[in-house]
Amino acid sequence: MDSSWRKSCKIYKNQRNKKLMDTISTIILTYNEEKHIERCIKNAQKFSEEIFLVDSFSTDNTIHIAESLGAKVYQNKWENNYAKQLNWGLNNLPITTEWVFRLDADEYLMADLISEINRKLPRLEKNISGIVFERKMYFLNTLMTKGMLQMNMLRLFKNKHGFCEERWMDEHIVLTKGKSIHFEGYFVDHNLNPLGWWIQKHDGYSIREAIDLLNLEYNFIKPKSSEVLQYEMSKDALSKRDKKKKYANMPLFWRSFIYFIYRYFLKLGFTQGKEGFLWHFLQGWWYRTLVDAKIYEIKKHCGGDKEKMKLFILQNYQIRL
């Protein structure tokens, strides 16, 4: 009887472990996302075993909507750092699945990609710990297909095999074990907020981008402890990082103008009408000119003095480096 009981326990354990293999938990970071959260969760339910929200104390109906759809909500104070919030979730959420998907509230996966994940995930080699997907953008409710540089991102990774590097902008999921591969399907960023919201958001992004570019030139930010770890970054992320270093070495203001010309004319962005013009002008020229203007402002006040730069950024933008 004792032997039979042990055998039954072993069979149950093996079945449970098999069930947990190739399953996915999706993590969504939120703050006042009632416009997007239902669409996001319903989409994630098509490929996820569990859905977790790491919420920054939303004041709208985000939490109520999420919980009514079966998502598990945890709250953590926002510290002006996306990577910190995601890493907090990776370290504190009760994740039991083998895989983790990082998804923004205004994003969703196309049907072809969901089918590809469900089909290919169980057949991956054991040394594969991360999967890269292409992200496409909607702007003014129009999918931007022309003039865009391909944006490939590692979003699906094995639990405990990856974390988010702490950078001011363009942070990436990196792997501490295994390798990454690329799937063919894509997901989309489809934000439903008005243009004024987009402009305000990118005004906030611009100082972070300015800090990132200044740090490439002056190296005045002390590396985070995670940056000294050995990790694997996807080829796409490495390529993007190399391109950013080259961009940082180009002359202020001229680089944003050249980038716009490249996207709008050479990459045929003009073929998408008024939406295409506004997208490439605002995101490809205006935003990057604003970044350069803030870099110029900081250099004008501080010269090349690193400590003065830190103080100026703290006093004028309330960001402590």
Side-chain angles (χ1 to χ4, degrees):
M1 183 174 179
D2 183 59
S3 175
S4 176
W5 180 81
R6 289 179 182 176
K7 186 176 180 180
S8 298
C9 288
K10 185 176 182 181
I11 292 172
Y12 171 78
K13 183 177 180 181
N14 289 338
Q15 289 176 339
R16 181 178 181 274
N17 289 340
K18 186 176 180 181
K19 184 180 178 182
L20 293 178
M21 291 290 287
D22 306 317
T23 53
I24 300 171
S25 290
T26 293
I27 299 177
I28 309 167
L29 306 189
T30 56
Y31 177 71
N32 290 350
E33 290 287 357
E34 64 182 5
K35 283 187 178 181
H36 304 109
I37 196 61
E38 181 175 354
R39 182 186 67 184
C40 183
I41 290 175
K42 287 184 175 180
N43 181 259
Q45 287 172 338
K46 296 176 182 179
F47 60 89
S48 306
E49 183 80 11
E50 291 188 307
I51 298 170
F52 295 96
L53 264 65
V54 179
D55 183 76
S56 304
F57 296 92
S58 292
T59 57
D60 64 359
N61 290 320
T62 298
I63 296 175
H64 173 73
I65 295 169
E67 291 180 335
S68 71
L69 293 171
K72 298 177 181 179
V73 180
Y74 292 76
Q75 291 187 305
N76 188 56
K77 183 180 178 182
W78 179 261
E79 294 185 24
N80 200 32
N81 190 302
Y82 187 97
K84 278 187 178 181
Q85 193 76 337
L86 177 59
N87 289 333
W88 181 90
L90 293 174
N91 292 326
N92 291 279
L93 297 175
I95 298 172
T96 58
T97 56
E98 185 183 18
W99 294 85
V100 177
F101 200 110
R102 196 279 276 181
L103 195 64
D104 285 345
D106 58 359
E107 296 174 338
Y108 55 89
L109 279 61
M110 304 304 290
D112 286 348
L113 177 55
I114 294 173
S115 296
E116 185 178 10
I117 290 172
N118 291 333
R119 183 178 71 255
K120 290 183 177 180
L121 201 63
R123 303 174 184 175
L124 292 179
E125 296 179 3
K126 290 183 179 181
N127 67 327
I128 302 301
S129 297
I131 305 173
V132 176
F133 312 103
E134 181 183 2
R135 183 181 72 169
K136 294 182 182 290
M137 302 291 296
Y138 272 87
F139 184 72
L140 295 179
N141 213 35
T142 301
L143 184 63
M144 294 292 106
T145 58
K146 300 294 183 181
M148 291 295 296
L149 304 179
Q150 193 172 53
M151 294 183 289
N152 296 324
M153 300 179 174
L154 196 160
R155 288 297 191 89
L156 180 60
F157 55 99
K158 284 185 177 178
N159 189 23
K160 308 300 182 184
H161 284 52
F163 67 97
C164 189
E165 55 174 353
E166 291 190 25
R167 295 177 59 89
W168 286 99
M169 284 293 291
D170 297 326
E171 63 280 331
H172 293 277
I173 301 292
V174 294
L175 301 175
T176 54
K177 297 179 183 178
K179 304 290 183 180
S180 63
I181 61 170
H182 194 289
F183 276 9
E184 296 175 4
Y186 68 91
F187 67 102
V188 296
D189 181 317
H190 188 179
N191 195 284
L192 302 175
N193 285 305
L195 185 59
W197 176 92
W198 188 95
I199 291 172
Q200 185 177 19
K201 177 183 177 182
H202 280 72
D203 181 29
Y205 278 169
S206 64
I207 184 58
R208 302 173 70 87
E209 184 79 36
I211 292 169
D212 210 28
L213 289 170
L214 280 168
N215 192 50
L216 286 174
E217 184 176 355
Y218 293 100
N219 193 30
F220 64 100
I221 301 176
K222 184 179 179 181
K224 305 292 183 183
S225 58
S226 60
E227 294 178 16
V228 301
L229 297 173
Q230 293 295 317
Y231 56 77
E232 176 82 11
M233 182 178 286
S234 70
K235 293 180 180 178
D236 300 283
L238 286 171
S239 175
K240 186 177 180 180
R241 194 63 48 80
D242 289 340
K243 289 176 182 176
K244 189 165 190 175
K245 289 177 181 177
K246 293 177 182 178
Y247 182 85
N249 291 326
M250 296 174 67
L252 286 179
F253 306 115
W254 279 105
R255 58 193 182 187
S256 56
F257 172 69
I258 293 170
Y259 185 58
F260 168 74
I261 295 298
Y262 173 72
R263 280 174 44 165
Y264 190 64
F265 292 105
L266 298 183
K267 297 289 287 183
L268 306 180
F270 67 89
T271 61
Q272 287 205 265
K274 294 181 177 66
E275 289 83 2
F277 169 74
L278 289 171
W279 169 251
H280 293 291
F281 171 74
L282 289 172
Q283 201 270 345
W285 191 358
W286 170 81
Y287 167 65
R288 284 168 174 77
T289 299
L290 182 61
V291 172
D292 281 358
K294 291 184 179 180
I295 290 174
Y296 178 76
E297 174 192 40
I298 293 168
K299 285 185 173 182
K300 184 175 180 180
H301 282 83
C302 308
D305 191 312
K306 301 176 185 180
E307 294 305 316
K308 284 185 178 180
M309 286 183 184
K310 291 181 182 180
L311 183 60
F312 183 87
I313 292 168
L314 176 61
Q315 291 177 338
N316 292 277
Y317 297 102
Q318 290 73 54
I319 294 176
R320 185 180 298 277
L321 302 178

